[in-house]
Every structure is written in C-alpha cells, then in structure tokens.
Amino acid sequence: MTSPTDDQNDPLVVGTHRFRSRLFVGTGKYASVDETRAALEASGAEVVTVALRRINLADRSEGSLGKLLLGGRYTILPNTAGCYTADEAVRTLRLARELGLASIVKLEVIGDPKTLYPDNEQTLEAAKLLVKEGFTVLPYCMDDPIVCRKLEDLGCAAVMPLAAPIGSGLGIRNPYNLRIILEHAKVPVIVDAGVGTASDAAIALELGCHGVLLNTAIAQAKNPVLMAHAMREAVSAGRRAFLAGRMPRRLYASASSPESGLIE
C-alpha cells in the first residue's frame, strides 16, 4: 500500500523532467568503474552528472565509464566543471548536445580556482544564452537570493545554490539564506556542493530544498557504497520530515503526557 509521500507520488519536477529520486550524484574520485557502478546503484539516483571536460564519454568499450553511464539507465546531466567563462561553458554544452546527451544541463562557471566559487556575472550571461537555445538549465550558484532570483527570471528550470565550497564536506553553512531562496523561488532549489555526510543531506531536504547534488561525500567516504545507501535514505527521510512538518521549537520543557485528567 502506498502513501502520499511515497517517492512515486511525490516526484521532483524539473522543466519537463520528472524524477522519483531527489538525489543527484556525480562520477568523479571513485577508485574504479566497478566502485562507481556499485555506488550509483546503492544511491538510487536517476540523475548522474558528468564533467564533459574530464571524462571521455566517447569510449564506450566494455568496462568503461561511458558504457556504464550511457546504457539508458540514468539521465545524464552534463556539466561544465573547469569552465571559467560563459563562452567556454556554452561551447561545452553545445558539444554535449551534439554528442546526443540530454538537453538538461548543469551550468558551472568558476570564478576562483582556490574556492571554486562561481562567477555570478559569467553564470548569468551563459544561462541567458543556453535558455534561449532551448537547454533546460540548472545553474550552480552562490547561496545568494538575488542571484537565484535573476537566474529564475532568465528561465532556468532550477537553481543550485552551494551549501559550502565544492568538495569541502562542511555541510550547510548558511541555512538562513537557503530559507530566503526557498521562500521566493518558483522553481526547484537543489543544494549543490559542500554536503559531507547523510545528516547534511537530510537537513537540506528538511529545510524544504527539493533535492541534493553531491559527489565527494560518497566517493571519498571510507565505504562509498554504504555512504551512497545512507545518502539515499537521508534524502528520503528529510523530504518526509519536511512534508510532515516539524514540531515547534520551545525554550522550556513541555510534558509529553497530558496534564489534565490525572488519576488521584
């Protein structure tokens, strides 16, 4: 028997795409293709992001990453990791389209090589061009409500504010900004970057975020496959907790048992 909060009855809708899983995962930093395969399966993810400038998807030989990812099981989310200008990012995603990959894309334009923070100006410029060309654009951005609003106004299908610097594992550093973004956004808000463990993913979903994208938290765990399974459960639990509505926070105690009708 299903409930209203089962994944199949509570899809994540991004543009024209519908996903049961709210966990998006990456493919970098794994020890082997076999480990990647096992972690992806354990995560339950339907969307897998791929850095086009770092992975050779043209190699579809047996045992290759290309064969694993392009077998039809996953929606591939090509990303522009390593791009530092709008022009680089746009050209990279046009190539993805020529390769026959999905037109849903992750836009990432880096502004600083040390922090890997995004360049707001270049991201906005690239987003405008890509939306005009018919791409379903999911931009990686700062947890800045103004930038998120501008990206949405340009026609982006979602916004992907960072929780913390890419690969840092610091978790959500500014939940208040995310709450402001969520309050005003009319498109999905997917936390991207900074998640370190399952509780971070759960917190993001409990806040009301519609999904989480992560890579390093799984790939660099001591047991990546077990962590992938933990992330799957955390995202599901966080979403259900958000839908359930948490109890109010109180400064003082409140008895769990009723105080009236006590037996003398």
Side-chain angles (χ1 to χ4, degrees):
M1 182 175 179
T2 60
S3 73
T5 54
D6 283 336
D7 293 342
Q8 64 188 24
N9 296 321
D10 180 36
L12 170 60
V13 180
V14 182
T16 60
H17 301 266
R18 297 169 66 89
F19 305 110
R20 295 185 303 277
S21 173
R22 293 172 180 271
L23 176 61
F24 294 11
V25 295
T27 54
K29 303 180 181 178
Y30 287 98
S32 65
V33 173
D34 285 341
E35 185 178 77
T36 306
R37 177 184 294 105
L40 293 184
E41 290 176 356
S43 74
E46 297 168 89
V47 179
V48 179
T49 188
V50 178
L52 289 171
R53 303 187 74 184
R54 296 171 181 166
I55 293 178
N56 179 20
L57 290 178
D59 178 8
R60 303 187 188 183
S61 60
E62 194 64 37
S64 68
L65 194 58
K67 185 173 180 62
L68 168 63
L69 297 178
L70 299 175
R73 178 171 182 175
Y74 302 106
T75 295
I76 301 303
L77 183 68
N79 71 62
T80 57
C83 292
Y84 284 81
T85 67
D87 182 63
E88 279 184 304
V90 170
R91 282 190 287 108
T92 299
L93 293 176
R94 285 172 179 161
L95 175 61
R97 176 176 275 175
E98 290 176 11
L99 290 172
L101 300 179
S103 61
I104 181 172
V105 296
K106 178 188 171 186
L107 172 62
E108 182 176 320
V109 186
I110 299 301
D112 175 65
K114 186 173 183 180
T115 63
L116 298 181
Y117 282 153
D119 183 315
N120 293 337
E121 182 181 2
Q122 292 294 301
T123 299
L124 288 164
E125 182 180 333
K128 184 176 182 178
L129 288 170
L130 292 166
V131 168
K132 187 177 294 186
E133 293 183 16
F135 286 91
T136 300
V137 183
L138 283 63
Y140 160 68
C141 57
M142 294 295 293
D143 56 344
D144 179 341
I146 306 304
V147 170
C148 287
R149 187 194 69 203
K150 289 182 177 181
L151 288 165
E152 181 178 340
D153 289 345
L154 286 174
C156 292
V159 290
M160 304 182 76
L162 56 79
I166 292 174
S168 68
L170 290 172
I172 296 173
R173 296 293 85 199
N174 196 336
Y176 306 103
N177 271 18
L178 288 178
R179 286 173 60 183
I180 295 171
I181 292 167
L182 286 161
E183 182 179 344
H184 296 284
K186 295 181 177 63
V187 296
V189 177
I190 302 170
V191 165
D192 179 14
V195 169
T197 190
S199 58
D200 298 331
I203 288 170
L205 273 291
E206 287 174 6
L207 285 169
C209 294
H210 302 86
V212 173
L213 188 151
L214 54 87
N215 180 188
T216 308
I218 293 177
Q220 293 198 335
K222 291 181 180 178
N223 185 330
V225 177
L226 188 58
M227 182 60 81
H229 193 83
M231 289 296 186
R232 177 180 188 169
E233 293 181 331
V235 167
S236 180
R239 176 64 177 175
R240 291 168 189 263
F242 168 73
L243 294 174
R246 64 157 291 141
M247 62 169 285
R249 290 181 172 87
R250 301 186 180 98
L251 182 60
Y252 294 104
S254 175
S256 298
S257 302
E259 297 180 0
S260 60
L262 298 177
I263 298 173
E264 298 293 338

